[in-house]
Amino acid sequence: MSNIIKVSKEDIIYHIKISCQIPSLLEAIATRKIITETAEKEGIVIEIAELQQSADNLRLANNLIKAEDTWAWLQKHYLSLDNFEEIAHLNLVSAKLAHHLFADKVEPFFYAHQLDYSAAVTYEVILDDEDLSLEIFYALQEGEISFQEVARQYIQNPEIRRAGGYQGIRKRSDFRPEIASAVFASHPPEVLKPIITPKGAHLIIVEEIIEPQLNDPTRVVILSDLFTNWLKEKISKLEIVATLGDDTNSSSSA
């Protein structure tokens, strides 16, 4: 058998079809068309310096430090330099369109949904035995055992065990509703009474509640969410039809 396998365009299209990727691919293509057409309609202008910066950002995001890195990346993805510029251009158009449409809506959205941007620093151990979790809870309150000791004894995942059950900084939406209610009503530092979910009995220490702030990272998240939701709404109103060059057409009513 030869060490070379030749793959045609027809092979690629066929594989996309039988791996059921066409719907997501059509949605991605429709999204690109919506962005470019809306940007043109709204008069979005791209400056040369902005495009160069977008290209630099694309290289940085893909760790393309040297020229040979870029060439290798282009070859791997079957792209030309023109394609690379097109990707950078689309990234820039998307960012500028998002800012154009929603920059003035970020602040009102934040204050209308302020609680959603609260965050908490927590440590967690999940037990199978509710009675045991209560015993450990009372032992923690009495100072008979440390949470680090509980984590070492009952957490299976080595990395989480070494970190003492540390869960990082998590937004309200990252928690199950019943856990979020207890976490954000706590007075840190506080050990919460075990919370029962289908996963088990959750022993949680709330170390800190981080009040929401409309800083640059939060602005970026909100702007991205607003733009993404706008695109999804646009897609939902479309019927996408693909002509694949055979007797099978793909139609998607999003």
Side-chain angles (χ1 to χ4, degrees):
M1 180 179 176
S2 171
N3 290 328
I4 298 175
I5 295 179
K6 295 183 178 180
V7 178
S8 67
K9 292 180 181 180
E10 291 75 19
D11 290 330
I12 294 171
I13 293 174
Y14 181 72
H15 178 77
I16 290 172
K17 288 173 67 175
I18 65 172
S19 58
C20 304
Q21 295 181 54
I22 283 183
S24 59
L25 185 62
L26 293 181
E27 185 171 318
I29 293 170
T31 297
R32 175 170 55 82
K33 289 180 177 291
I34 290 169
I35 291 171
T36 55
E37 290 173 7
T38 306
E40 183 177 354
K41 179 181 176 182
E42 295 292 328
I44 301 297
V45 177
I46 302 298
E47 304 292 344
I48 297 298
E50 293 177 319
L51 185 57
Q52 181 60 56
Q53 183 60 57
S54 181
D56 291 343
N57 292 341
L58 182 57
R59 291 188 185 92
L60 184 62
N62 290 281
N63 199 31
L64 307 178
I65 308 302
K66 297 179 290 186
E68 50 264 37
D69 297 332
T70 301
W71 281 112
W73 186 85
L74 290 173
Q75 287 183 326
K76 176 182 177 181
H77 295 283
Y78 291 83
L79 297 170
S80 66
L81 278 175
D82 286 343
N83 295 145
F84 185 88
E85 185 173 315
E86 288 168 6
I87 296 171
H89 187 273
L90 180 61
N91 290 346
L92 179 57
V93 168
S94 298
K96 294 194 73 168
L97 181 60
H99 189 272
H100 174 78
L101 294 176
F102 298 108
D104 60 345
K105 297 176 175 60
V106 168
E107 188 167 335
F109 183 90
F110 171 77
Y111 288 111
H113 302 83
Q114 196 165 353
L115 289 178
D116 295 338
Y117 295 93
S118 300
V121 179
T122 60
Y123 294 76
E124 180 181 64
V125 173
I126 304 176
L127 300 167
D128 294 329
D129 190 324
E130 184 177 348
D131 292 334
L132 176 60
S133 70
L134 282 168
E135 288 179 22
I136 295 175
F137 168 70
Y138 291 121
L140 286 166
Q141 284 198 318
E142 296 298 324
E144 297 171 2
I145 191 173
S146 71
F147 201 86
Q148 185 75 31
E149 291 173 299
V150 176
R152 280 201 300 266
Q153 187 170 352
Y154 294 102
I155 293 178
Q156 300 299 317
N157 183 293
E159 291 186 6
I160 300 176
R161 182 173 64 242
R162 293 187 194 106
Y166 179 61
Q167 299 296 301
I169 299 174
R170 303 172 71 191
K171 295 190 301 183
R172 182 182 290 267
S173 59
D174 295 328
F175 295 95
R176 293 179 63 92
E178 62 269 42
I179 294 178
S181 298
V183 166
F184 289 97
S186 66
H187 302 283
E190 182 179 344
V191 182
L192 302 182
K193 191 172 181 180
I195 302 168
I196 310 303
T197 77
K199 287 187 175 182
H202 299 248
L203 270 174
I204 297 173
I205 285 185
V206 184
E207 182 178 86
E208 182 184 359
I209 298 293
I210 301 173
E211 297 301 328
Q213 294 182 355
L214 188 55
N215 50 27
D216 287 343
T218 303
R219 285 183 182 275
V220 169
V221 169
I222 294 174
L223 189 64
S224 176
D225 288 346
L226 291 173
F227 188 54
T228 299
N229 290 336
W230 173 78
L231 285 169
K232 286 180 179 178
E233 185 179 353
K234 289 283 188 181
I235 291 291
S236 70
K237 297 176 181 178
L238 295 177
E239 180 180 358
I240 307 170
V241 178
T243 303
L244 302 178
D246 57 15
D247 59 355
T248 303
N249 286 340
S250 175
S251 178
S252 171
S253 296

